[in-house]
Amino acid sequence: MEPSDSKSAVLDTYHALVSAFTEFLTVAVHTILYERDIYPRESFINARKYNYPVRQNRHPKVCAWIQDAVAAVEAEMLKCTVAQTSVIIYSSATNVPLERYVFATSSFPIVPLAEIRTPFEDIKGPDKDDSPSSQHSSPPRSRSASPSPAGPSAAKSTVAFVDLAAQFPAVISRLCMLSNKLKPLSGECSFTIAVELRDQPTGEAPIKHSMPWIPSEPGLQRATNTGPSEEVQDKSDTAAQDRSRPSKARKGEYLGGTRTTPVRSIEAGPFTMEVWVEEGRGKLELIDSSKASGTSSETRS
């Protein structure tokens, strides 16, 4: 891990906040891969980051993949469209998600793309004469957008990097400790990185041609509406009427998991992040099937 050049800097721009987050995300990914034994532990080296001992995979292709993935996350976060980033561990045999490490940044400020390098106190807040309808809508992506959903004052709109660097090791330490509390992974596993977009019109999915992102499988989608919403002409057909009613948004089956473990939250000025781990149903089913196959083999012997 290379030392940061911004250790003494004041993070007073949105670009600086995103850079601090993605730098930390890189360290967290390497830590998760080491602690969950995704790659042989011999392939990791000792390193230091935030004045704290960490692990880093030394395989060039693994490092390159993580670097490219985090760069893609950073590009989307600079558009203020990302609500949370997830590191997903899944079974290589079935592609079923087993664990999901969630880094929620939905409370990050929302600023226009043209002002991501503008100090927060220099970004004008919304006009006091705004209409009532606009006061209850999402902040527009314009010059007058508020630097955060809550509109923090200039005094609370900056944070020194050393303040974050003092809290990041606590998250890394907690991730290391959780490896002893989480149920062990069974079989060969791999990982991927996914982003979840904000609930606003500007959060368009980055899945166009030549983009590094692809849509997640339905089980990892946050909410989907099923069923048509058209009216039924034949009022006597009650079954058709039931089918015609718009159903409620339904969360993907792999989201939330069967067990959620909080890791830590960070609040430092405009930098607000929550981290937690979700253990999926597929993980427990895989463990149960492994135990069952082991029991049957013992019985036959």
Side-chain angles (χ1 to χ4, degrees), residues 174 178 181 259-265 275-278:
R174 178 66 175 165
L178 281 179
K181 297 183 179 181
R259 179 185 177 189
T260 300
T261 304
V263 177
R264 191 179 175 89
S265 61
V275 185
W276 67 87
V277 183
E278 299 172 359

Side-chain angles (χ1 to χ4, degrees), residues 139-181:
R141 292 172 63 86
S142 62
R143 179 87 182 169
S144 61
S146 172
S148 78
S153 62
K156 297 182 180 180
S157 294
T158 61
V159 57
F161 184 83
V162 291
D163 295 336
L164 284 178
Q167 299 190 54
F168 284 154
V171 182
I172 299 300
S173 175
R174 178 66 175 165
L175 289 174
C176 296
M177 293 173 57
L178 281 179
S179 63
N180 297 324
K181 297 183 179 181

Side-chain angles (χ1 to χ4, degrees), residues 205-223:
I207 55 176
K208 298 180 181 179
H209 177 66
S210 72
M211 296 295 288
W213 298 100
I214 59 175
S216 296
E217 56 198 77
L220 287 172
Q221 297 294 341
R222 178 171 51 184

Side-chain angles (χ1 to χ4, degrees), residues 215-282:
S216 296
E217 56 198 77
L220 287 172
Q221 297 294 341
R222 178 171 51 184
T224 55
N225 288 320
T226 58
S229 58
E230 295 85 358
E231 295 183 358
V232 179
Q233 298 299 327
D234 185 2
K235 302 299 182 181
S236 63
D237 189 352
T238 56
Q241 292 182 38
D242 291 338
R243 291 194 302 269
S244 70
R245 295 192 185 99
S247 61
K248 296 181 180 179
R250 185 172 57 189
K251 184 172 65 174
E253 60 178 323
Y254 296 139
L255 298 182
T258 59
R259 179 185 177 189
T260 300
T261 304
V263 177
R264 191 179 175 89
S265 61
I266 293 180
E267 294 185 13
F271 192 106
T272 302
M273 178 181 68
E274 294 185 11
V275 185
W276 67 87
V277 183
E278 299 172 359
E279 294 181 272
R281 187 183 301 107

Side-chain angles (χ1 to χ4, degrees), residues 285-300:
E285 293 174 351
L286 192 60
I287 293 175
D288 292 339
S289 63
S290 299
K291 290 181 179 179
S293 61
T295 303
S296 60
S297 62
E298 289 177 3
T299 303
R300 287 195 299 270

Side-chain angles (χ1 to χ4, degrees), residues 108-132:
F108 266 36
I110 299 178
V111 301
L113 185 61
E115 297 188 352
I116 60 175
R117 296 180 183 274
T118 302
F120 290 131
E121 58 267 27
D122 293 340
I123 301 178
K124 297 181 180 179
D127 192 355
K128 293 182 180 180
D129 295 329
D130 285 347
S131 62

